[in-house]
Each structure stands twice: as C-alpha cells, then as structure tokens.
Amino acid sequence: DIQMTQSPSSLSASVGDRVTITCQASQDIRNYLNWYQQKPGRAPKLLIYDASTLETGVPSKFSGSGFGTHFTFTIFSLQPEDIATYYCQHYDNAPYTFGQGTKVEIK
Amino acid sequence: QVQLVQSGPEVKKPGASVKVSCKASGYTFSSYGFSWVRQAPGQGLEWMAWISVYNDDTKYAQKFQGRVTMTADTSTETAYMELTGLTSDDTAVYYCARDLFPFSSTCQLNYWGQGTLVTVSS
C-alpha cells in the first residue's frame, strides 16, 4: 500500500499569512493526488485534484503543485474561514489512502 | 443539485453487522462510482472501498476485504455499505462519496453524504 505522509500535523498562522502543507508519497503516484478541506462536524470538501487542478467553485487562494512523490498545498492569505483540517489523498491505485491530516489554526 | 443523503445513526453490539445507505439525487446515478470513507472519533479519514455503479467493479482496502459488502440499487438510486463482524474499533462516522467524473475509476470525491455515526458498544 502507498503511504501518504503529511507535514506538519498542525500549524498556527496569522490572518493574511501564506500557509504551506506538504504531502509525501511512499512511491511514485504521478499527479494522482487530491486535497480536501474538512471543517469540524462536516464532510470533507474536494479542493484540488490531479495535484494542481482547482475543483469548480474553489477560490484561487488555494493552490497545489507537485509530481511523483512530493506535493505541496498552499493557502494564500489565510482567513478565519479557512480554519479546518486538510488532507491529501492519492488515487494511483487502491487502496486510496489519505494523509494523516494537517490542522490549521489562527494564531 | 447533487445530493447524497445517508441513513441515520446506528448502535450495534460487537459481532453484529451494520448496513448504511446513501440515497443519491440530482444526477445520473448509474454513471458514477462511490467510495466509502470512515472517520473514527478525533481521527483522520480512512478510505475503505469503492464500487462502480455502471459496471459493478469493486475495490477494497485489504483490511476490510471480506468484511465489507457494497451494493448499488439503480431502481432506488441508493448505494449501500454493509460491514460485518463489528468491533469497538469500527466506531466511526461512515461517509459515502461520489466520483468527480462519470465512468471513471479514479477516486476524486466531489460529493459527500452527511455521514452516518456507527457506534459499537456492548
């Protein structure tokens, strides 16, 4: 099974800061990577697929990049409504494992 | 608009089975696949399995193989996930989620149900 390692597991940043989360795959997954946002008590929301393609309706302050084994997710200008846990997930082959999540808080 | 509405919370005893439903609306049910994802209390997301409604193909995480059965009823546009041999470790919120693209086996999940809490307790 492919393991997905996210870092950091949590972070605290100020409003307006740029926030970056990384996701490392245990083997080459090409660009078969999703990023999700999950707010407390809610279902996850797909933000990015194919490592860098923004899902319809997702604001451009979210961005993804990477290929192979190393991926990056960025929030440009953190806002209070971005407080959530963010997960990467690969879909190269089953099982489609998630990273352990990154909890983003406001400083 | 696309909606996935799941069945209500369940309380089960160890060793029992649970069947969670996911009623779809707002799109062509038979064209998409579904994943089932669970989340234990305070924990992260765990992908369990996927079913294609259009060709009945299935994929499973090894740890659930033999314990999970997924079905899809096109007449009622409802997907089901049954989990057998429950233990306290199966206490979690279970989500159904639909693939982004039709006739695709890539697990890009853009519509989610509201989640079903399954509690396993003696």
Side-chain angles (χ1 to χ4, degrees):
Chain A
D1 296 358
I2 298 172
Q3 307 304 315
M4 306 300 293
T5 304
Q6 268 183 254
S7 61
S9 55
S10 65
L11 65 89
S12 181
S14 300
V15 171
D17 281 355
R18 183 169 72 179
V19 167
T20 299
I21 298 167
T22 63
C23 184
Q24 185 92 14
S26 60
Q27 64 189 67
D28 186 349
I29 58 169
R30 295 166 282 184
N31 66 331
Y32 295 165
L33 187 89
N34 299 318
W35 289 98
Y36 297 91
Q37 175 193 66
Q38 186 180 33
K39 296 184 178 180
R42 305 289 299 273
K45 175 185 177 182
L46 179 65
L47 299 180
I48 289 170
Y49 61 93
D50 289 350
S52 60
T53 301
L54 229 54
E55 165 64 338
T56 303
V58 173
S60 57
K61 67 176 177 179
F62 297 106
S63 175
S65 64
F67 192 91
T69 62
H70 188 78
F71 301 87
T72 300
F73 173 79
T74 301
I75 307 173
F76 297 101
S77 188
L78 184 70
Q79 298 300 312
E81 61 268 23
D82 302 327
I83 298 315
T85 300
Y86 294 83
Y87 295 91
C88 62
Q89 180 205 22
H90 84 85
Y91 48 93
D92 184 63
N93 57 75
Y96 304 124
T97 47
F98 289 88
Q100 77 274 25
T102 297
K103 187 173 184 179
V104 175
E105 298 174 317
I106 295 283
K107 194 180 293 183
Chain B
Q1 72 283 20
V2 175
Q3 278 194 302
L4 301 177
V5 179
Q6 297 184 223
S7 47
E10 303 264 11
V11 179
K12 296 292 183 181
K13 294 199 181 301
S17 300
V18 68
K19 192 170 186 177
V20 179
S21 67
C22 175
K23 168 70 175 167
S25 62
Y27 71 96
T28 304
F29 180 74
S30 57
S31 298
Y32 290 80
F34 283 92
S35 279
W36 290 88
V37 175
R38 76 178 186 179
Q39 186 168 37
Q43 303 301 308
L45 302 170
E46 181 175 28
W47 182 84
M48 299 175 64
W50 171 86
I51 182 169
S52 158
V53 179
Y54 48 92
N55 67 6
D56 289 329
D57 189 17
T58 55
K59 301 179 184 182
Y60 296 89
Q62 179 86 15
K63 70 180 285 187
F64 298 107
Q65 192 103 31
R67 277 214 303 146
V68 167
T69 301
M70 295 177 295
T71 54
D73 184 338
T74 55
S75 67
T76 59
E77 298 189 323
T78 303
Y80 298 90
M81 186 279 298
E82 182 173 27
L83 184 62
T84 61
L86 293 170
T87 72
S88 58
D89 289 342
D90 294 315
T91 294
V93 174
Y94 289 77
Y95 293 101
C96 63
R98 198 206 75 174
D99 286 339
L100 173 62
F101 296 113
F103 308 111
S104 169
S105 61
T106 56
C107 184
Q108 301 150 314
L109 306 173
N110 70 328
Y111 287 103
W112 293 67
Q114 81 277 19
T116 296
L117 176 61
V118 175
T119 302
V120 183
S121 174
S122 54

